[in-house]
Amino acid sequence: DPKIIQKPKYLVAVTGSEKILICEQYLGHNAMYWYRQSAKKPLEFMFSYSYQKLMDNQTASSRFQPQSSKKNHLDLQITALKPDDSATYFCASSPDSGNTLYFGEGSRLIVV
Amino acid sequence: GEQVEQRPPHLSVREGDSAIIICTYTDSATAYFSWYKQEAGAGLQLLMSVLSNVDRKEEQGLTVLLNKKDKRLSLNLTAAHPGDSAVYFCAVTYQGGRALIFGTGTTVSVSP
């Protein structure tokens, strides 16, 4: 059974719309992350959270907003979607503050 | 910030041959080194990790070498088999770092 669940697995969105990518982890980790993978930038760190608090933000655009309603949840809200946002978004968690990561299977977003 | 270069981008080998992937990094404070494997349509899976005080580690047909003087990390897949076909990423972080920095990936194809 997957220990990190990401939903949806595939998503097509219209330019200008807003979507939420869901991530739940059942590994008991306190640190959670979002990474983005696209053809232009293979694996790009976006956000890190620890105990539901933002630790690091490497995403320039405020259109990307992580949301942590529970300790094992870290969702990603994306507003005013652009075609350049098309990518696979990976959620990850860590037992050791980020030295090792466990990844979900990703949410593939296509913006048309 | 830390820069990680990975080569080659593509590698084709025959079953039973060895495959070597190399990463170079820039920050001498880098303390933790990992290799991840990504199979088609899946998230990344941790293969092996080493601390900066380890020069060599072998596990299940994989050898990781760390040359701190040259800031070079390598992964050797000995006796590759078709199940090893995937994209491989190196990843590094430095002491107190909050996120892994990934290499650009190497697509390995193992033919029977």
Side-chain angles (χ1 to χ4, degrees), chain B residues 17-56:
Chain B
D17 287 350
S18 292
I20 298 177
I21 306 169
I22 295 173
C23 282
T24 55
Y25 57 95
T26 56
D27 193 337
S28 57
T30 303
Y32 203 85
F33 306 84
S34 307
W35 285 97
Y36 286 79
K37 176 183 180 182
Q38 184 180 28
E39 295 179 345
L44 281 75
Q45 176 190 2
L46 177 66
L47 288 176
M48 209 184 315
S49 54
V50 297
L51 290 169
S52 59
N53 59 353
V54 173
D55 293 333
R56 181 189 181 98

Side-chain angles (χ1 to χ4, degrees), chain A residues 44-62:
Chain A
E44 181 186 12
F45 167 69
M46 299 181 73
F47 299 98
S48 64
Y49 265 64
S50 180
Y51 293 95
Q52 293 186 264
K53 287 189 173 14
L54 178 68
M55 299 301 290
D56 203 354
N57 175 0
Q58 294 292 331
T59 303
S61 173
S62 60

Side-chain angles (χ1 to χ4, degrees), chain B residues 31-84:
Chain B
Y32 203 85
F33 306 84
S34 307
W35 285 97
Y36 286 79
K37 176 183 180 182
Q38 184 180 28
E39 295 179 345
L44 281 75
Q45 176 190 2
L46 177 66
L47 288 176
M48 209 184 315
S49 54
V50 297
L51 290 169
S52 59
N53 59 353
V54 173
D55 293 333
R56 181 189 181 98
K57 186 174 181 179
E58 294 184 44
E59 273 181 13
Q60 297 180 326
L62 301 173
T63 302
V64 170
L65 296 176
L66 176 61
N67 182 326
K68 291 185 288 293
K69 174 175 172 289
D70 295 339
K71 298 192 185 73
R72 186 172 67 236
L73 174 74
S74 66
L75 175 69
N76 188 348
L77 285 74
T78 53
H81 55 85
D84 291 331

